[in-house]
Amino acid sequence: MKKDIFGKAILDFYNKNSTEDIITSTNISDEDILPLDYLFRSYTEMPKLEKKALKLAKGEVLDVGCGAGSHSLWLQEKGFKVKAIDISKGAIEVCKKRGVLNTKLLPLLEEKQNFDTILLLMNGTGIFQTILNLPIYLNHLKSLLNEKGQILIDSSDIKYMYEDEDGGFWQDLNSGYYGELDYFLSYKGEREEPMKWLYLDFSTLNIACATVGLKCELIAEGDHFDYLAKLYVAE
């Protein structure tokens, strides 16, 4: 059962009741800090790939995994009609308090509306959880697109995390795709149930898209093995 620690943390920050940040880790990496103020960042504080994605938005927009609503708020200010969804009750509450006009506590696979732009940012492929889930999610995303609609999604190729000092690749090939991680989150001493989280290299995303009739275009690359892609229905 999810405890919504993420939601509690951003509610605390919004209510000026936070005394510490979120701690994250994975099965292949040590603990790291996720600063709560980063989730409330302005456009100027966003990484270049996020800025690029927001600039490419068109028409009616779905912001998937909206968090504290920073992307939705910027788009709203630019006159876009935006729907923000998340599975965190606390996140949706904060979005409403911050002024996001259309928010819903909803898993992506339960979304039924159609959109011109679907945003999946901050490692948007993470929501797919595993390689096996890729066709399920991609087919559903495809079904939500209006004619000439687009999906803007980012991720990272984390193969570098498996390299040794000599440049060798040490991952156990029997353990599945190297981008499938167990993701751990804690806040104020409370631990969330571990979740599956997927980092996807561009080539694998491209192949998966082709199998469901989506074109996959590399839009931009970041500074650290990350990239932004645009998916759309092949004509």
Side-chain angles (χ1 to χ4, degrees):
M1 181 70 181
K2 293 291 182 188
K3 302 173 185 175
D4 195 20
I5 288 174
F6 179 79
K8 290 176 186 175
I10 60 175
L11 263 171
D12 276 356
F13 186 87
Y14 180 83
N15 293 323
K16 297 182 170 54
N17 189 33
S18 60
T19 54
E20 56 191 84
D21 293 311
I22 292 173
I23 306 296
T24 66
S25 63
T26 74
N27 56 305
I28 62 163
S29 63
D30 295 329
E31 287 188 347
D32 198 8
I33 292 172
L34 175 59
L36 290 177
D37 61 354
Y38 183 72
L39 302 171
F40 291 78
R41 62 199 177 281
S42 65
Y43 178 82
T44 55
E45 297 168 321
M46 291 178 191
K48 66 180 183 180
L49 294 186
E50 287 181 27
K51 290 179 179 176
K52 181 77 173 175
L54 292 176
K55 289 283 190 181
L56 289 172
K58 62 179 185 180
E60 192 166 348
V61 181
L62 176 67
D63 183 6
V64 180
C66 59
S70 296
H71 300 133
S72 293
L73 285 170
W74 186 85
L75 289 167
Q76 266 184 201
E77 289 167 8
K78 299 297 176 187
F80 286 91
K81 186 178 180 183
V82 186
K83 181 178 183 180
I85 64 171
D86 205 295
I87 58 170
S88 163
K89 187 176 180 181
I92 293 300
E93 189 175 333
V94 168
C95 281
K96 289 176 178 175
K97 289 176 183 288
R98 294 183 77 198
V100 180
L101 299 175
N102 184 10
T103 65
K104 193 160 188 183
L105 184 67
L106 189 73
L108 172 58
L109 292 178
E110 293 180 20
E111 178 59 71
K112 298 291 192 289
Q113 281 180 246
N114 289 91
F115 300 89
D116 303 296
T117 298
I118 301 174
L119 292 177
L120 297 102
L121 301 178
M122 289 187 73
N123 188 49
T125 64
I127 200 170
F128 304 153
Q129 301 170 63
T130 67
I131 284 283
L132 286 175
N133 285 342
L134 266 176
I136 299 167
Y137 277 91
L138 290 174
N139 271 311
H140 185 66
L141 285 165
K142 181 182 174 184
S143 76
L144 301 179
L145 287 176
N146 285 328
E147 188 177 356
K148 298 191 185 306
Q150 61 177 352
I151 300 155
L152 298 170
I153 186 167
D154 65 356
S155 194
S156 301
D157 183 353
I158 63 166
K159 192 172 184 177
Y160 71 91
M161 295 182 74
Y162 295 89
E163 287 182 355
D164 58 30
E165 292 177 2
D166 301 320
F169 185 59
W170 57 262
Q171 201 228 358
D172 178 5
L173 296 177
N174 294 319
S175 64
Y177 177 68
Y178 64 83
E180 291 182 357
L181 301 185
D182 295 319
Y183 189 80
F184 306 92
L185 184 151
S186 64
Y187 173 68
K188 290 185 174 178
E190 190 176 8
R191 296 185 70 87
E192 184 64 89
E193 294 297 315
M195 63 180 177
K196 296 291 183 184
W197 195 246
L198 180 65
Y199 288 89
L200 204 56
D201 70 280
F202 178 76
S203 177
T204 302
L205 176 62
N206 191 16
I207 292 166
C209 286
T211 63
V212 299
L214 284 169
K215 288 280 190 183
C216 181
E217 182 181 332
L218 182 64
I219 296 296
E221 292 182 281
D223 300 323
H224 195 63
F225 306 98
D226 51 334
Y227 65 88
L228 174 68
K230 179 171 85 169
L231 319 183
Y232 54 96
V233 177
E235 303 214 3

